[in-house]
């Protein structure tokens, strides 16, 4: 509650976490924000991370008439000890990654969407890289096409507008991570992979 109060009265918090680089796709989340605000005026987009794209994202926000520290917050970085609280204090976590057409870079497994669900927070992600390996698009998280910021806006509005959907995504996402990504199981898979490679 204390963390949420920093963003105004009854904020609807959209959280994005990651290095501010091109293929993380944060520009599409910023582009989605005006559409979201038209339906959900209390929406607040909080971006955690640092990187070379920050100034470009700030310019895009100004171009879209978004006010920094009112609609959109660049909150810097936090240590791993703070992240579970931040995830759990958010209403939805978004991973809008894209495939870099020049380099081929794209999202790997997507730890952010796993960590968010481990904190009981619903997630929305692009159909990029390894994100589709852990998100089914229906029960444990929602998916949208890369770069389609209008579809992304619709998915975020859906989560804020439908409490039943939000609760089901929260419960199912947490269950999925607990069943598939406990440390014991993850380390066992790595051990089996190393044995096979050797």
């Amino acid at each position: 509650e204390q963390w949420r109060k920093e963003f105004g009265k009854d904020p609807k918090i959209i959280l994005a976490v990651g290095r501010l680089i091109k293929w993380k796709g944060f520009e599409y989340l910023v582009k989605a924000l005006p559409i979201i605000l038209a339906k959900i005026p209390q929406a607040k987009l909080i971006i955690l991370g640092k990187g070379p794209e920050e100034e470009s994202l700030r310019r895009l926000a100004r171009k879209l008439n978004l006010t920094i520290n009112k609609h959109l917050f660049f909150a810097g970085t936090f240590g791993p000890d703070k992240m579970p609280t931040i995830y759990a204090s958010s209403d939805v976590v978004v991973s809008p990654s894209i495939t870099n057409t020049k380099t081929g870079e794209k999202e790997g497994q997507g730890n952010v969407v796993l960590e968010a669900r481990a904190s009981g927070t619903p997630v929305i992600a692009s159909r990029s890289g390894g994100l589709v390996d852990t998100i089914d698009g229906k029960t444990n998280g929602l998916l949208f096409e890369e770069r389609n910021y209008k579809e992304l806006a619709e998915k975020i509005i859906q989560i804020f507008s439908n409490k039943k959907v939000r609760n089901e995504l929260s419960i199912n996402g947490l269950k999925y991570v607990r069943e598939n990504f406990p440390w014991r199981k993850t380390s066992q898979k790595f051990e089996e992979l190393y044995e096979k490679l050797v």
Side-chain angles (χ1 to χ4, degrees):
E1 287 299 318
Q2 185 179 348
W3 190 76
R4 290 177 66 84
K5 282 176 186 174
E6 293 181 26
F7 305 101
K9 186 179 180 183
D10 190 30
K12 304 298 181 191
I13 295 177
I14 305 159
L15 180 69
V17 180
R19 190 151 179 260
L20 305 187
I21 52 179
K22 199 74 176 169
W23 63 264
K24 285 294 185 178
F26 292 125
E27 67 180 284
Y28 300 98
L29 184 50
V30 174
K31 286 180 180 178
L33 189 54
I35 302 170
I36 298 161
L37 285 166
K39 297 276 187 181
I40 315 286
Q42 318 94 293
K44 309 288 182 182
L45 172 55
I46 299 160
I47 298 177
L48 296 190
K50 289 283 186 184
E53 285 295 303
E54 183 171 340
E55 188 49 45
S56 176
L57 292 170
R58 287 177 178 271
R59 282 197 304 271
L60 175 61
R62 290 192 289 269
K63 185 179 174 183
L64 295 170
N65 295 317
L66 297 169
T67 305
I68 306 292
N69 295 331
K70 180 183 177 186
H71 304 119
L72 170 59
F73 298 79
F74 290 92
T77 57
F78 289 84
D81 57 319
K82 297 280 193 302
M83 289 309 298
T85 299
I86 292 172
Y87 283 127
S89 303
S90 303
D91 295 294
V92 60
V93 171
V94 180
S95 181
S97 296
I98 60 171
T99 302
N100 187 321
T101 51
K102 291 181 180 177
T103 65
E105 286 176 290
K106 55 186 158 187
E107 192 67 66
Q109 179 173 263
N111 285 337
V112 166
V113 294
L114 292 174
E115 292 168 357
R117 284 178 288 175
S119 301
T121 305
V123 300
I124 302 173
S126 61
R127 296 180 185 275
S128 180
L131 292 168
V132 295
D133 294 333
T134 70
I135 299 173
D136 63 11
K138 295 175 183 176
T139 64
N140 68 13
L142 301 180
L143 292 168
F144 69 99
E145 292 304 321
E146 283 188 30
R147 297 178 170 84
N148 191 335
Y149 66 90
K150 291 180 181 178
E151 185 187 5
L152 171 56
E154 287 170 11
K155 301 283 183 183
I156 293 172
I157 290 166
Q158 179 187 0
I159 282 186
F160 283 130
S161 304
N162 192 322
K163 190 175 181 181
K164 184 182 177 189
V165 168
R166 187 168 67 247
N167 288 344
E168 285 177 357
L169 289 171
S170 176
I171 291 165
N172 292 334
L174 178 58
K175 182 181 177 187
Y176 174 83
V177 173
R178 282 182 173 167
E179 288 176 356
N180 294 282
F181 289 92
W183 282 116
R184 184 179 294 276
K185 188 178 248 186
T186 302
S187 58
Q188 185 180 348
K189 284 181 181 177
F190 271 113
E191 185 179 352
E192 289 168 2
L193 178 62
Y194 292 147
E195 291 277 355
K196 186 177 175 183
L197 292 171
V198 169

